[in-house]
């Protein structure tokens, strides 16, 4: 090979390497905004029945993972604990998911997607409510709202 051929090949390899490095640096990894949540049946006493975890906001839906705890101290009279997630777009409810422990003194993990993947604009708020079920009756605590605009 001639010197010109080596020089041309070296220039092409150098340009390709520079281009690849530039494209790699110019394309940052996309991290979805997320926020933690913890909601209790009784906000004044979060030691018994509660749910906690993380909400990851996608373009139209959200990923919810966490766990719900029923009777953390195992000394209250609750049959089971339920957490309800309601997804909203503005004032319009678009989806509801619930998770319920299998009984008293239990901990249930969950991981699911909420919202409508076909909804233009997607959901912007998730309302989380913790309820206890005792003798077939459902009693709910104060709901908490988590907004997409507040996630980081």
């Amino acid at each position: 090979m001639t010197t010109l051929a080596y020089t041309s090949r070296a220039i092409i390899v150098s340009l390709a390497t520079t281009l690849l490095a530039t494209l790699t640096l110019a394309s940052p990894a996309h991290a979805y905004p997320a926020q933690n949540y913890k909601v209790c049946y009784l906000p004044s006493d979060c030691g018994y029945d509660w749910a906690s975890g993380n909400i990851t906001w996608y373009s139209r839906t959200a990923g919810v993972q966490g766990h719900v705890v029923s009777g953390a101290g195992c000394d209250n009279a609750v049959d089971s604990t339920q957490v309800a997630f309601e997804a909203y777009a503005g004032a319009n409810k678009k989806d509801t998911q619930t998770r319920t422990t299998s009984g008293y003194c239990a901990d249930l993990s969950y991981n699911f997607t909420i919202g409508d993947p076909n909804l233009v604009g997607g959901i912007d708020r998730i309302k989380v409510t913790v309820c206890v079920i005792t003798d077939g009756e459902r009693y709910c605590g104060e709901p908490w709202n988590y907004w997409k605009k507040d996630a980081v």
Side-chain angles (χ1 to χ4, degrees):
M1 241 191 234
T2 67
T3 304
L4 181 59
Y6 279 120
T7 304
S8 296
R9 181 174 276 170
I11 290 172
I12 290 171
V13 169
S14 176
L15 287 173
T17 303
T18 302
L19 179 61
L20 181 61
T22 302
L23 290 175
T24 302
L25 293 174
S27 304
H30 181 71
Y32 292 104
Q35 62 196 143
N36 295 325
Y37 67 88
K38 184 168 186 178
V39 178
C40 308
Y41 170 64
L42 295 175
S44 61
D45 182 10
C46 206
Y48 287 102
D49 304 289
W50 49 273
S52 68
N54 183 271
I55 299 170
T56 303
W57 296 94
Y58 305 123
S59 61
R60 296 181 179 193
T61 62
V64 178
Q65 68 81 31
H67 64 122
V68 58
V69 175
S70 178
C74 295
D75 60 357
N76 66 358
V78 171
D79 294 337
S80 60
T81 301
Q82 181 180 78
V83 59
F85 298 89
E86 298 169 276
Y88 289 83
N92 301 312
K93 188 189 311 186
K94 297 298 179 182
D95 194 5
T96 301
Q97 296 266 346
T98 61
R99 298 297 185 267
T100 306
T101 63
S102 61
Y104 169 67
C105 198
D107 187 329
L108 173 70
S109 295
Y110 47 81
N111 188 349
F112 60 89
T113 301
I114 191 168
D116 180 353
N118 298 314
L119 178 66
V120 176
I123 59 172
D124 60 0
R125 173 173 61 106
I126 295 177
K127 182 169 76 171
V128 183
T129 308
V130 173
C131 305
V132 294
I133 301 168
T134 303
D135 297 326
E137 295 292 325
R138 188 172 180 250
Y139 304 95
C140 296
E142 180 181 342
W144 285 84
N145 290 290
Y146 293 87
W147 296 86
K148 185 175 188 174
K149 66 179 177 67
D150 295 333
V152 290

